[in-house]
Amino acid sequence: MAARCLALLDLEVAPSAGTVALLQRQPKPVPLPEPDAGDWFARGERLETQGQFDAAEQAYRRALAVDALHADAYLNLGAMLCEDGRHDEAAALYDRAVAHCPSVAPLHFNRAIALEDQQREREALASYERALELAPDLADAHYNAARLYDRLGQAQGALRHFNAYRRLQQREREREGEGDVRGEDLGRCERLFVQGVEGPLLSGEDRARGDARLVRRAAADRRDQQHLLPHA
């Protein structure tokens, strides 16, 4: 005798005008996973590049609400606030950022720029110095520190950082095969310091350079920047 196979279907019975109808039960919808901090950060970056700054700000804030250790969200959100002239908010955000992520050098660097915007130059210097303790090769931090020391009349500190900046620039140019870039500015600074001449050490060309740009992170950069992020 041939064996019979009984198939079980997910069916329900529904009455229909005195007859019985078999209806297939609809599967329950699977809920979508909640966006994580990385999703919100990527959304914020995309909105920012599209010029939708209010929406980008909210996305970065959502990333931080999900993960208070998301250093890249602090970087980009703080940069947006600085560029929008909201210097007090930016400085407060970066204060929170370095409290949560104290080992991330770019956060200290961006915090220093925000503090400069508030005319808090000595606090900004301390933040540049902290960034350089964590990342001694951060050339823009050396440059900005040199500029602040110069403005405050502290020639030795200005020269130390200016020399470091030039050395790092020289190394980068040599790596790219562009030759010596020490130039007359560095020699001038060294001569002025040896001679004990008082006054600004930075040349007009260097002063015209202005502040270094705020550090930003793109979602695609995170693979290359994981060493900057604190371990959970």
Side-chain angles (χ1 to χ4, degrees):
M1 180 183 293
R4 291 185 176 180
C5 295
L6 179 63
L8 298 179
L9 300 178
D10 189 11
L11 303 174
E12 58 185 10
V13 178
S16 176
T19 63
V20 175
L22 297 179
L23 302 177
Q24 187 168 357
R25 185 175 298 161
Q26 294 298 320
K28 294 182 180 179
V30 178
L32 295 175
E34 290 292 324
D36 63 15
D39 295 329
W40 284 113
F41 174 80
R43 183 179 303 183
E45 184 206 1
R46 183 174 64 255
L47 291 166
E48 187 179 358
T49 60
Q50 295 171 351
Q52 301 182 51
F53 300 114
D54 290 342
E57 177 181 339
Q58 293 307 311
Y60 288 139
R61 292 191 185 280
R62 290 293 296 270
L64 292 172
V66 174
D67 180 7
L69 300 181
H70 200 293
D72 293 352
Y74 286 118
L75 284 170
N76 287 16
L77 175 57
M80 282 183 57
L81 295 174
C82 282
E83 291 166 356
D84 196 36
R86 297 157 64 183
H87 307 306
D88 292 349
E89 292 179 63
L93 178 77
Y94 284 132
D95 285 345
R96 181 157 60 97
V98 298
H100 284 294
C101 311
S103 62
V104 183
L107 286 175
H108 293 276
F109 177 84
N110 279 15
R111 177 176 180 267
I113 292 178
L115 291 170
E116 280 197 73
D117 289 336
Q118 293 183 305
Q119 310 302 316
R120 296 161 63 184
E121 294 179 341
R122 295 189 182 279
E123 293 175 76
L125 264 177
S127 203
Y128 283 131
E129 294 286 10
R130 179 57 183 150
L132 289 166
E133 289 176 9
L134 296 167
D137 290 347
L138 191 55
D140 283 341
H142 281 295
Y143 179 88
N144 282 8
R147 180 176 47 74
L148 281 184
Y149 277 118
D150 181 42
R151 185 183 302 166
L152 294 171
Q154 299 183 33
Q156 187 171 3
L159 182 65
R160 174 168 57 87
H161 284 289
F162 188 72
N163 284 349
Y165 167 74
R166 288 298 194 193
R167 282 194 297 271
L168 291 168
Q169 291 293 93
Q170 168 70 12
R171 184 189 308 168
E172 182 64 24
R173 293 294 183 90
E174 288 176 348
R175 187 181 300 121
E176 297 173 358
E178 298 183 18
D180 188 2
V181 295
R182 286 170 64 88
E184 296 181 358
D185 285 332
L186 182 55
R188 172 180 173 272
C189 287
E190 291 170 339
R191 289 194 301 274
L192 287 174
F193 188 75
V194 169
Q195 295 168 4
V197 176
E198 296 182 357
L201 293 177
L202 301 185
S203 69
E205 178 184 353
D206 284 299
R207 288 177 175 277
R209 177 178 179 274
D211 294 345
R213 290 178 299 174
L214 291 150
V215 176
R216 271 190 155 84
R217 287 281 181 267
D221 294 337
R222 291 179 63 80
R223 291 187 299 273
D224 300 327
Q225 299 294 340
Q226 289 302 312
H227 65 285
L228 292 177
L229 301 179
H231 296 291

